[in-house]
Amino acid sequence: MIHVSRLSKSFKVYKREAGIYQAIHSFFQRKYERVDALDSISFDIPKGEIVGYIGPNGAGKSTTIKILSGILVPDEGECVINGYVPWKDRKEYVKKIGVVFGQRSQLWWDIPVIDSFHLLKDIYTIEPTIFQESLTELTALLDLKEILKMPTRQLSLGQRMRCEIAASLLHRPDILFLDEPTIGLDAVSKKAVRTFIKKINLEFQTTVILTTHDMQDIESLAQRIILIGKGRVLFDGTIPNLRDIVPDPKLSLEDVLVYLYQKLGI
Amino acid sequence: MKLYKRYLLLHIQTELEYKTSFLLTAIGQFLVSCNVFIGIYFMFQRFSTVKGYSFEECLFCFSLFLLSFSLAEMFFRGFDQFASMISNGEFDRILLRPKSLVLQVLGSKIEFTRIGRMLQALVMFVYVLLRQPIEWTILKACITVFMILGGTVLFAALFVLYATICFFTLEGLEIFNIFTDGAREFGKYPLAIYGKNILLFSTFLIPYACIQYYPFLYLTDHTTNVMVAFTPIAVLLFCIPVHLFWNYGIKHYQSKGS
């Protein structure tokens, strides 16, 4: 379903020291260095799996999501998803995926949520009957009935996130990328989001790739963890597998990661 | 087209949310352009002609130029504000949608407040028409429409060019405004008054003169060469390299951007 092999991507990062003198200097002559955001990443994900894609800040999680969703082109390596190369067959490929960026909104700020949904209906050319069906389903599952008619700017973060997730599922994608979907949410909203992700995974066999810093997300959702650091895959397996490599079995998952981050120096 | 209509409706809906802000901005736009009109008016109180062109002729040039500019600004605002679309990740979102990128950028911003500027252009245009400097024929009317459309396309192409540069710099280059806002100002007069070099530049590099000076000569009977009237078509030639550059910019963004 998702096949990724030896994916690499590096960015130019401009360097300069602090201070006004250096700022002027770098205006004329910029020094930069290459930073490997991804360094030969490989993995395969079968249909219907929920994968937790974790790692410290700056490990390359977002870069991977951007490549897998076709926004960025890697320097090297191959990636075939559902038979498509994401950055080559953009228009066809993106019909089959849904992406939620927890830190950014795809809803129109000043107009009722339902109008944003109707725009998506036109963008994805969703059949009216299918659209209505999806909408009814999602409204029930995510409890959106009350908030669909409110403009986005008046929603709480939890309400907004539920709408964001609904928005990226209207066209019934096979794969759902969730980039920090629970960031900043309260306990109740987090739980609602988790329950929902589990439900659609069971019901529609939607493959879910989830990046998060919240270990409870991982514990309640992920059947498999891929841990990356400094652009490399450091671990790929189940949660019990991960616990096996630390000495103390009683550590919480959070502490297991802290231990690993420190031990591996990432 | 259906999608664009949807975008249009959503923008109208958004504007209706903030009625006062919309009205004030539109009035502001109207007054700013009004200023320029008053400037030209008083200048012609002292000098009856500029390089042989009358007040009405200059005003005619300006009103068409301004009309094109405000149309382009209204419907191509997404490209004008492209730097912010890149920096806030909106462009990434656009790449995730199964529709043409250009259409989506167009749809993401439509600036109805520019109606103020447009209104000012129309007022001037009607004012000029009432003073009858032009002997109208059907051909001349068609040419006027072509001038406006050609101008809109030209300014739109410049906005796209400006947007494409953002792929490389990731921020807007203010200096580029010379070619858009700057041009709007110097389009007040028939471009020939600025001398031969400027005319050459605005014929062969950025074809401002093709949508202003040359067809204008025909409209005001300074020339009888009908060929000159069809120069607005040259704008399409300008669009080809802009289009190629845009495609190149997208590739660059996808392989270098972060």
Side-chain angles (χ1 to χ4, degrees):
Chain A
M1 171 92 177
I2 298 182
H3 170 71
V4 171
S5 115
R6 295 196 311 283
L7 218 53
S8 296
K9 175 92 190 163
S10 64
F11 293 115
K12 267 186 195 174
V13 176
Y14 290 101
K15 273 187 64 150
R16 77 163 195 237
E17 311 290 320
I20 182 73
Y21 173 74
Q22 291 295 334
I24 293 166
H25 182 77
S26 72
F27 183 80
F28 295 104
Q29 193 180 17
R30 292 216 277 187
K31 277 184 227 158
Y32 64 85
E33 54 186 53
R34 287 215 155 263
V35 173
D36 289 322
L38 294 181
D39 183 8
S40 204
I41 294 244
S42 305
F43 53 78
D44 283 87
I45 298 173
K47 186 174 169 56
E49 199 165 53
I50 302 185
V51 176
Y53 196 66
I54 55 177
N57 292 326
K61 299 190 295 294
S62 293
T63 307
T64 315
I65 299 278
K66 281 185 178 176
I67 291 176
L68 294 188
S69 56
I71 296 174
L72 291 181
V73 180
D75 298 337
E76 271 170 72
E78 53 181 283
C79 169
V80 182
I81 301 177
N82 258 354
Y84 296 107
V85 178
W87 57 93
K88 280 189 185 147
D89 316 298
R90 188 185 71 83
K91 273 193 201 170
E92 279 309 306
Y93 170 68
V94 294
K95 281 183 196 163
K96 309 282 188 195
I97 62 166
V99 186
V100 176
F101 292 112
Q103 320 234 37
R104 286 181 205 150
S105 180
Q106 58 175 319
L107 304 166
W108 283 44
W109 196 241
D110 291 314
I111 56 172
V113 176
I114 186 73
D115 289 321
S116 289
F117 285 4
H118 278 286
L119 176 67
L120 288 170
K121 173 177 167 261
D122 286 348
I123 286 182
Y124 287 99
T125 343
I126 309 171
E127 294 289 322
T129 48
I130 294 183
F131 175 76
Q132 211 47 51
E133 223 173 89
S134 297
L135 188 63
T136 319
E137 254 167 30
L138 291 166
T139 309
L141 285 173
L142 286 162
D143 194 19
L144 301 178
K145 200 160 187 257
E146 302 300 314
I147 50 182
L148 278 182
K149 293 211 169 73
M150 280 159 66
T152 310
R153 63 163 192 273
Q154 285 174 6
L155 302 181
S156 72
L157 190 57
Q159 291 173 325
R160 210 194 77 201
M161 193 55 68
R162 269 149 50 208
C163 294
E164 296 280 347
I165 294 176
S168 52
L169 286 169
L170 284 170
H171 58 291
R172 303 192 166 171
D174 298 332
I175 306 171
L176 181 61
F177 294 97
L178 298 168
D179 195 1
E180 308 196 31
T182 55
I183 195 162
L185 299 192
D186 63 44
V188 179
S189 304
K190 271 186 187 172
K191 198 157 179 202
V193 167
R194 285 178 201 140
T195 316
F196 173 75
I197 293 171
K198 244 185 231 167
K199 240 181 213 161
I200 56 145
N201 171 258
L202 273 178
E203 224 168 283
F204 304 107
Q205 287 290 299
T206 310
T207 311
V208 179
I209 296 174
L210 167 82
T211 81
T212 181
H213 292 291
D214 186 324
M215 284 311 121
Q216 278 174 328
D217 285 353
I218 296 294
E219 272 178 314
S220 68
L221 286 175
Q223 295 141 2
R224 171 180 164 196
I225 293 178
I226 297 177
L227 170 70
I228 65 164
K230 287 194 175 158
R232 290 168 175 274
V233 176
L234 300 173
F235 172 84
D236 185 350
T238 61
I239 298 175
N241 289 157
L242 185 68
R243 284 185 183 284
D244 284 345
I245 48 178
V246 290
D248 185 355
K250 285 198 286 288
L251 284 179
S252 72
L253 196 54
E254 193 100 48
D255 291 326
V256 170
L257 281 184
V258 172
Y259 172 84
L260 280 176
Y261 287 177
Q262 279 167 357
K263 191 179 150 208
L264 298 165
I266 54 174
Chain B
M1 233 26 238
K2 195 180 159 207
L3 181 59
Y4 191 73
K5 214 174 96 194
R6 174 80 70 188
Y7 277 123
L8 260 175
L9 291 175
L10 288 184
H11 281 289
I12 293 172
Q13 213 176 328
T14 307
E15 294 293 359
L16 290 177
E17 285 278 309
Y18 302 102
K19 279 173 240 133
T20 324
S21 158
F22 171 74
L23 281 175
L24 288 179
T25 318
I27 292 171
Q29 292 283 334
F30 181 82
L31 291 179
V32 167
S33 312
C34 211
N35 253 338
V36 182
F37 167 61
I38 293 168
I40 301 177
Y41 179 78
F42 280 117
M43 209 181 76
F44 275 96
Q45 293 285 304
R46 311 214 103 211
F47 315 97
S48 55
T49 59
V50 170
K51 282 234 173 158
Y53 299 108
S54 72
F55 174 57
E56 285 80 10
E57 285 171 341
C58 290
L59 214 52
F60 179 72
C61 272
F62 185 47
S63 64
L64 291 192
F65 220 63
L66 194 63
L67 199 57
S68 305
F69 184 80
S70 48
L71 276 170
E73 237 191 348
M74 188 184 283
F75 294 106
F76 293 82
R77 188 67 169 165
F79 289 102
D80 194 16
Q81 307 246 298
F82 199 66
S84 71
M85 286 183 83
I86 288 200
S87 62
N88 67 18
E90 216 179 313
F91 188 69
D92 287 352
R93 182 55 72 182
I94 283 176
L95 282 168
L96 292 172
R97 308 278 195 220
K99 283 278 148 56
S100 122
L101 300 177
V102 172
L103 177 65
Q104 291 187 73
V105 177
L106 285 183
S108 67
K109 284 212 179 67
I110 299 171
E111 189 69 52
F112 288 108
T113 54
R114 292 301 182 267
I115 210 147
R117 220 198 280 271
M118 220 148 102
L119 208 63
Q120 172 63 36
L122 282 174
V123 167
M124 285 194 293
F125 188 62
V126 172
Y127 177 82
V128 173
L129 286 191
L130 290 177
R131 301 181 66 144
Q132 292 285 357
I134 295 170
E135 287 167 32
W136 288 99
T137 61
I138 292 174
L139 179 63
K140 281 185 178 176
C142 289
I143 291 168
T144 311
V145 174
F146 277 132
M147 281 168 81
I148 296 170
L149 288 182
T152 310
V153 173
L154 176 60
F155 281 117
L158 286 169
F159 286 142
V160 175
L161 196 62
Y162 176 58
T164 310
I165 293 171
C166 297
F167 281 129
F168 301 91
T169 59
L170 300 181
E171 55 195 54
L173 284 179
E174 281 299 316
I175 192 168
F176 201 83
N177 287 346
I178 292 174
F179 299 117
T180 52
D181 294 283
R184 185 191 71 217
E185 293 303 318
F186 95 133
K188 283 186 286 205
Y189 304 104
L191 292 173
I193 72 162
Y194 299 105
K196 205 173 163 204
N197 288 335
I198 295 280
L199 189 61
L200 279 176
F201 174 84
S202 47
T203 304
F204 294 107
L205 271 172
I206 303 179
Y208 300 116
C210 298
I211 53 119
Q212 199 232 32
Y213 179 62
Y214 299 121
F216 163 80
L217 285 182
Y218 181 78
L219 290 181
T220 50
D221 299 318
H222 283 92
T223 172
T224 49
N225 184 356
V226 184
M227 286 312 287
V228 157
F230 291 96
T231 44
I233 294 165
V235 169
L236 295 178
L237 291 178
F238 183 70
C239 291
I240 297 170
V242 170
H243 177 76
L244 294 176
F245 186 49
W246 164 256
N247 283 342
Y248 174 74
I250 290 167
K251 289 229 171 68
H252 178 89
Y253 176 77
Q254 288 189 306
S255 59
K256 297 276 156 42
S258 76

